[in-house]
Amino acid sequence: MRRALPVLAASAAVALALAGCTPDSGTTSQEGASDACRPTASGAASESVKVSGELGAKPEIEAPTPIEGVEETQRTVVTEGDGDLVEPGATANVQFTLINGTTGEPATETSYEEDATEAIVVDEEQYLPGLVKAVECSTVGSRIVGVVPPADAFGEQGLEQFAIGAEDPIVFVVDIVSIKKPLVPAEWTEDVPEVEFDGDGIPTLTLPKTDPPKELQLKVLEEGDGATVESGDTVTVDYQGTSWDTGEVFDESFTKEPLEIATGSVVQGFEAALVGQKVGSKVVVVMPPELAYGTDPEAHALGGQTLVFVMDIQDTAKS
């Protein structure tokens, strides 16, 4: 699935969702990287880009024009930070500059204003793969050069808005300011609703007569033995949504057709409930308004409400 994400500010970069996975071969570990986190390797092209300036400020970039020998994304660490590791699935808050690798011309950049970073989910299904490969397995406080071929950038269509053609490689200089780790539900052990499935597998949920929980919590009702759902997957799931505030079921698929949807296309609480679960599992999850449809009742019909979902995870596949 390809999905364009909006430009976040007048000078901010566009991030596109293109499918693909970072290869395990030909990579080297940055200091502090976990065994499961293997950063993209450096190469002659990325090492040929010279960068100066303070971290967090607009860099001065000198790159060969045109930059050549870019068959796959290359990544070079200019400055290595000593902060947390940016692992797959995390959200990295970054500043970056993007230039056209053929012409050497600037394409776009973030504002480099304090507290005005771009949030990038470290997931190639949601964001530009070359940018993800530059950020993934780096550490907070690092400045990274990423040299990216068209296949990991804007593909055959290029990006006319920023004068990037279909055959143009691109160069990122990325400053990793901070990270937000993946959202993981707490185990739900108290005031858990009763869930009963009838002979057709349709659930009935009975809410306890208590105030709703304040945090995202999940209980596995039945654990499956299938593949594990990963961030960016397209998941086939039956669901039933109930408002804790009204006690009413507001939507469900058990009596219709299962929902098939990419995890990145749903509200935060729903995605967090799916990722990490196995196909065949049945779960119940409660999500506060800020992880569902927001806290403003005027912005959405379910705004300000705590929601409970019963889910039956039937399949998962790479998008």
Side-chain angles (χ1 to χ4, degrees):
M1 182 181 72
R2 301 189 179 200
R3 180 164 55 93
L5 301 179
V7 176
L8 301 184
S11 63
V14 169
L16 299 179
L18 302 175
C21 297
T22 304
D24 288 333
S25 60
T27 57
T28 57
S29 295
Q30 182 170 343
E31 184 178 349
S34 70
D35 291 340
C37 199
R38 295 176 60 83
T40 297
S42 183
S46 60
E47 291 174 1
S48 72
V49 179
K50 306 304 178 185
V51 182
S52 59
E54 296 294 325
L55 189 78
K58 182 179 177 179
E60 295 182 5
I61 304 170
E62 295 182 11
T65 304
I67 199 162
E68 296 178 333
V70 188
E71 300 297 329
E72 58 185 27
T73 296
Q74 300 176 19
R75 167 189 170 277
T76 293
V77 180
V78 178
T79 303
E80 184 167 357
D82 58 3
D84 290 337
L85 188 69
V86 184
E87 297 190 89
T91 298
N93 299 310
V94 304
Q95 301 278 15
F96 62 81
T97 296
L98 170 65
I99 68 173
N100 185 315
T102 300
T103 65
E105 293 296 322
T108 189
E109 63 192 33
T110 52
S111 68
Y112 289 97
E113 294 178 358
E114 188 175 359
D115 299 327
T117 56
E118 179 95 13
I120 301 296
V121 180
V122 185
D123 178 356
E124 294 177 37
E125 303 297 337
Q126 299 186 52
Y127 281 83
L128 198 73
L131 177 57
V132 170
K133 290 177 181 180
V135 169
E136 188 173 48
C137 305
S138 302
T139 50
V140 171
S142 294
R143 171 167 278 181
I144 305 293
V145 169
V147 177
V148 183
D152 277 351
F154 301 106
E156 296 178 355
Q157 71 272 25
L159 192 64
E160 183 178 358
Q161 179 184 0
F162 294 142
I164 295 173
E167 298 183 359
D168 292 331
I170 59 175
V171 177
F172 277 108
V173 176
V174 186
D175 292 351
I176 304 172
V177 178
S178 62
I179 62 169
K180 180 180 179 181
K181 295 186 177 180
L183 181 65
V184 178
E187 184 179 2
W188 198 356
T189 58
E190 297 183 2
D191 299 327
V192 183
E194 293 182 7
V195 182
E196 295 184 358
F197 293 87
D198 67 16
D200 295 321
I202 300 172
T204 298
L205 179 138
T206 304
L207 293 169
K209 298 183 182 301
T210 61
D211 292 333
K214 300 296 185 183
E215 63 177 350
L216 183 70
Q217 298 183 67
L218 179 144
K219 179 179 176 62
V220 177
L221 304 172
E222 180 180 322
E223 186 171 14
D225 58 5
T228 299
V229 178
E230 298 181 359
S231 179
D233 282 4
T234 294
V235 182
T236 303
V237 58
D238 264 323
Y239 68 93
Q240 180 191 80
T242 300
S243 168
W244 195 296
D245 299 65
T246 67
E248 299 295 325
V249 173
F250 58 83
D251 194 14
E252 59 88 24
S253 68
F254 283 93
T255 63
K256 306 168 190 174
E257 294 291 332
L259 175 70
E260 183 176 306
I261 194 165
T263 56
S265 301
V266 293
V267 296
Q268 293 182 68
F270 202 97
E271 177 178 13
L274 290 171
V275 173
Q277 301 300 326
K278 295 180 180 179
V279 171
S281 293
K282 296 178 180 179
V283 304
V284 58
V285 61
V286 60
M287 55 190 73
E290 59 270 21
L291 297 178
Y293 292 95
T295 58
D296 184 0
E298 296 185 1
H300 192 279
L302 295 169
Q305 298 183 39
T306 299
L307 306 182
V308 180
F309 282 92
V310 178
M311 303 180 187
D312 181 352
I313 303 169
Q314 300 183 12
D315 196 13
T316 189
K318 295 297 180 186
S319 297

